[in-house]
Structures are given as structure tokens and as C-alpha cells.
Amino acid sequence: MSPACGIDFGTSNSSAGFVQAGEPVLVKVEGDSTSIPSAIFYPAFGEGVCFGGRAIDSYVEGENGRLFRAIKSILGSSLINETTVAGGKRTKFTAILGSFLGHIKKTTEEQAGAPIEQVVLGRPVFFVDGDAEADRIAQDQLMQVARAEGFKHIEFQYEPIAAALDYEHGVKGEEIALIADIGGGTSDFSIVRVSAERRKLADRKQDILAYAGVHVGGTDLDYKLSLKQVMPHFGYQTRQRKRPELDLPNGYFHELALWHRIAFLYTQKVEAELKHLRAIAEEPERIERFLRVVHERAGHRVAGETEKAKILLSDKAGATIDLASIVEGLSIETSQALFEETIRAECAKIAACVEDCIKNAGLRADAIDAVFLTGGSTSTPAVERACLLHTPRAKIVRGNKFASVGMGLTIDSGLKFAQSRG
């Protein structure tokens, strides 16, 4: 019988595990790490596709090719049916998603020592906010990608519920826990009754008191910081020379600030349109910088330096967005205070989602015993404060930022597939 497997295919980072002798085991998905950046690099001529940190390094070190990050964000959008150039040929985005999922599957099989056909895949509470049909389509798309990679038995679990199963592993008494999973693409919450006895049960429906989610994650924080402080240096909000009451069209600047949209800038059509913008811009040198980024395929380097500064601001009052290797002399100073002001609306959405989740559970705020924080974006102090705003007496437990969901999905796979075999 194929081992049971759980995979957290995240927007920014991914993890996986399998059940061995009844116990969940996390996979070392990259070196000795149990998490891997959700990144793929296609060399220009198709040989030597690589994944994770190695993919990012290949791109940053200047190897000729294409980097894809935050590709999970494409699920549920019209982009999923489009193609792009990867490895010297036009490739469907479903194939790009599949290549990453296939890499995780192969790595898991190597460590499990057996083919894997059974998987529990994590999913956000909402792939798409406010659109149930688009959300269903997104899950179906992910299922089709998984089937194409050789998975035959596929189940789904909400990511915050999976994180709850991981948290419960260390619980001795009974608690009402709020699980906050703030990933690269979404913020997901569940309120779950947990205990040492309950974790033995396969059916936990009665213990899931509520769940909620909002489409705010780490890539949104990168995007807001980039628009506020980086994109103006590349022409965002630059006025038109002959019509100074008007800004230049802003669509391209938004694409450069979004991880999953950057690859769409690398076309001759876009370069031609940017040259037109340069001709009508009041400050053409800013558009010239943008042109250089597109011509040199350096968009992910701009996004990467912005992300690095965001991470530094988790525990520092100030940071530098260093773009001097891309544009000579361009370094942008930022601060934690400015960043927190920039993401105020996103944090307010997170806090409101927590409040709704507690209300949906039929609980008072002081009924929450513990808040379990997982996902890379919980490192941002303003985001953590938003998660805790409506839980005044809860203890705070910080889980594995990048692998708690993967561990919980693995635990769930053991329960689900043991039940199906029985």
C-alpha cells in the first residue's frame, strides 16, 4: 500500500511529509530543511530546471533563464489557462505548477522509499475571496495538476485545520485554540477544540468550531511596500510631460510589484510600450530604469530586495532596499513605522477576519485559550498584533513558520487514508 502523504504547496514556501510506521515524518525537501521556497527556474534552453533556493540562486547569479515565484496565486484566475515562455518554449502554467508539485512528490518518494499515490493537499480557506465558483474551480485545477503528476487518491484539508492538528500534538489538557496561518498568499484562521484524547479521532468535524480566511499574505505586504517606496523610482505616479495633470498609466508598475505577474513583462510588446511611456514622461529617466529591468529580466531581483527589507523590518527599526546592483546608486531607505503605516489596511482585514471567526464559533473573545501562530508572515509585528487583537487572555504559541501545516497535513493523511483502507 502506498504511504500516506501530506503536502503544503504554499505561495511562498512549501513542505511535505509521509506516515511511517504510524508516525508522521517531515521530508527534508531541500538539503536538511523541511521547507523549500516555492520557486522554479527554467534555464533559457530548457536543460537543468531547478527548484527552491537553488532556483532563486540561479536567477540572482545571472544565469540566463526565467524564475517563477508565488505561482500558486495563479489558481482560480484566468492566467491558469495561459502560456508563457519557459525553457525556450511556450509552456502552460498548469505544467509549471505541476513541475514543482512533481519535484515535491519525487523528493518525498525518495525518502519514503516507495511510490506515493495518496495525498492530502492543503488549501486556503478561500482561494478567491467572495466567489464560491472561482474557489471551487481553483481547487479543481489543483486536483488536476496533482493527478497529472501521478497522485491517484487526493483529499484536501484547510491549511489552518492542518496547523491545528500539528499544534494538538503538544497539548496535554483540553483547549479552545485559534489557529492563525499567515502565509504568502492568504491569512487563514480556525477555532478548534483540541486535546490529547481528541487527536486519536479520525472524524473531527464536531471539534472545528469555525474557520475563516482573507486573501492577505506576505506577497501582499511585499506589493504594498514596493508600490509605496520602490515603484516611484521606476516611474510610478510620474506625470506626463505634455499633460502634467495626468500620471502615466500605472498597470505595468503594479505588475512589477507582484511576484506572480513579473514574468508577463518580459515581452517585446511591453518593451515597445515602455519606450512610448518614456517618450511622454516628465521624468523619462525613471522609465529608463524600468526598461532596463525588463530588458535584463531583473524584475524578481527588485521584488527579492524589497522582500529582504520587509523581513529585516520584523526586528529592526530601519532597513535598506538595495537596488544598486540593478540601477547604479539606487538604494532606498525604509522604516518599520512607515511599513506598518503602509500595510495598515491589510492588518485591519486580518483583525476583522479573526473577530468574525470568533463570532462564527459562537464564542466570546475571552473563551480562546491559545493562539497558535504559523506561516512566515506572522514574523511581521503588525500582523502578529492584528492576530492577537481580539484574544485578550490567550497564551501565544509560535509554531514552525514554514512546516506546521505540512506536518498537520501529514497527520491528517494518516487518519484519512487509514480510515479509507479500513
Side-chain angles (χ1 to χ4, degrees), residues 3-6 17-19 118-120 165 407-419 421:
C5 166
F18 60 92
V19 178
Q118 304 177 123
V119 65
V120 176
L165 295 174
M407 175 58 84
L409 292 169
T410 304
I411 293 167
D412 198 39
S413 75
L415 296 170
K416 280 185 164 67
F417 292 116
Q419 189 178 40
R421 288 195 296 269

Side-chain angles (χ1 to χ4, degrees), residues 91-134:
T91 304
K92 291 183 177 180
F93 277 103
T94 50
I96 294 170
L97 284 164
S99 68
F100 186 80
L101 194 59
H103 173 71
I104 298 289
K105 182 176 187 284
K106 180 182 177 183
T107 303
T108 303
E109 288 174 334
E110 288 171 352
Q111 293 182 37
I116 289 179
E117 298 177 344
Q118 304 177 123
V119 65
V120 176
L121 292 171
R123 57 150 294 164
V125 173
F126 301 110
F127 280 106
V128 182
D129 288 343
D131 189 336
E133 179 62 14

